[in-house]
Amino acid sequence: STLTFKEGDSLKLAFHAQTTDKILVFTTGGKFYTIGADRLPGGRGHGEPIRIIVDMDNDQDIVTAFIHDPKRKLLLVSYDANGFVVPEEEVVANTRKGKQVMNVKAPDEAKRCLPVTGDHLAIVGENRKMLVFPLAEIPEMGRGKGVRLQKYKDGGVLDLKTFTLESGLSWQDSADRTFIKSREELVEWIGARASTGRMVPKGFPRTGKFG
């Protein structure tokens, strides 16, 4: 509430970082850029466009940004639900031009980037169908297009979550209530990678997102 923005500008994401941190920025074109937190403008003001700090193409948008943790692995997923796992230490870019990690061809674009935890993936399409399958079925690679994670007749991926099957799959509804589906309750959604899945469970958020 204390932040002010230029007219037409708004908050996309916020996180706590220190000046010694490396910030990784992932774009819809499948590129990673690395920015030292000490290079960001300090104090008050409207900040500086990231497109000026790095050589980012005008037709690309920022998917997400986060503090670099070399011990993690990341799951990259495109709108068409192609995806793969990449060690985070391999996506660090040493130049302003960034590092091409996910290969996407328009109209497809990079859609999600999230740290890998647990042993299973739950993926939901815009058609509100959900599929659950083991993370072991997704290849680990340094660069590429990846493999198909879920099949759609039309539309693309809406949301996804990695989790530990034994602990169950959780989500939050619009009232911030947490629901957990146990391994037994998820049986009808567990299937082979690249299949279509089934309509989301009762009580799943109308937004189609895990919360």
Side-chain angles (χ1 to χ4, degrees), residues 8-129:
D9 207 353
S10 63
L11 181 70
K12 183 173 178 89
L13 54 98
F15 52 88
H16 183 78
Q18 299 181 345
T19 50
T20 50
D21 289 329
K22 281 180 183 169
I23 310 293
L24 295 184
V25 178
F26 184 53
T27 70
T28 51
K31 268 189 178 184
F32 276 94
Y33 296 90
T34 309
I35 302 171
D38 57 337
R39 288 177 54 204
L40 297 174
R44 297 173 181 274
H46 290 134
E48 201 175 295
I50 286 179
R51 288 180 201 280
I52 291 174
I53 301 173
V54 295
D55 292 341
M56 190 176 145
D57 296 341
N58 285 330
D59 61 345
Q60 293 180 11
D61 197 6
I62 292 170
V63 175
T64 188
F66 50 92
I67 295 167
H68 174 46
D69 177 355
K71 298 186 194 75
R72 286 190 302 201
K73 292 183 180 182
L74 302 172
L75 173 62
L76 309 183
V77 181
S78 76
Y79 177 73
D80 285 347
N82 293 312
F84 61 93
V85 172
V86 60
E88 193 172 315
E89 61 185 358
E90 289 186 23
V91 305
V92 176
N94 297 318
T95 67
R96 283 171 53 100
K97 289 194 184 309
K99 187 171 189 178
Q100 189 73 47
V101 177
M102 185 171 219
N103 297 337
V104 284
K105 267 189 189 165
D108 193 18
E109 60 180 26
K111 183 85 173 167
R112 295 297 304 273
C113 165
L114 65 158
V116 175
T117 56
D119 52 25
H120 274 68
L121 173 72
I123 183 167
V124 178
E126 290 176 337
N127 58 4
R128 288 185 68 76
K129 284 189 174 176

Side-chain angles (χ1 to χ4, degrees), residues 163-200:
F163 69 102
T164 303
L165 189 58
E166 284 302 326
S167 307
L169 175 64
S170 64
W171 65 78
Q172 284 181 313
D173 67 6
S174 54
D176 279 344
R177 287 176 302 190
T178 300
F179 291 77
I180 298 178
K181 284 271 181 207
S182 68
R183 179 184 193 138
E184 291 72 28
E185 293 171 307
L186 287 170
V187 166
E188 56 186 291
W189 286 275
I190 296 174
R193 176 181 66 72
S195 50
T196 51
R198 302 186 59 155
M199 291 305 286
V200 292

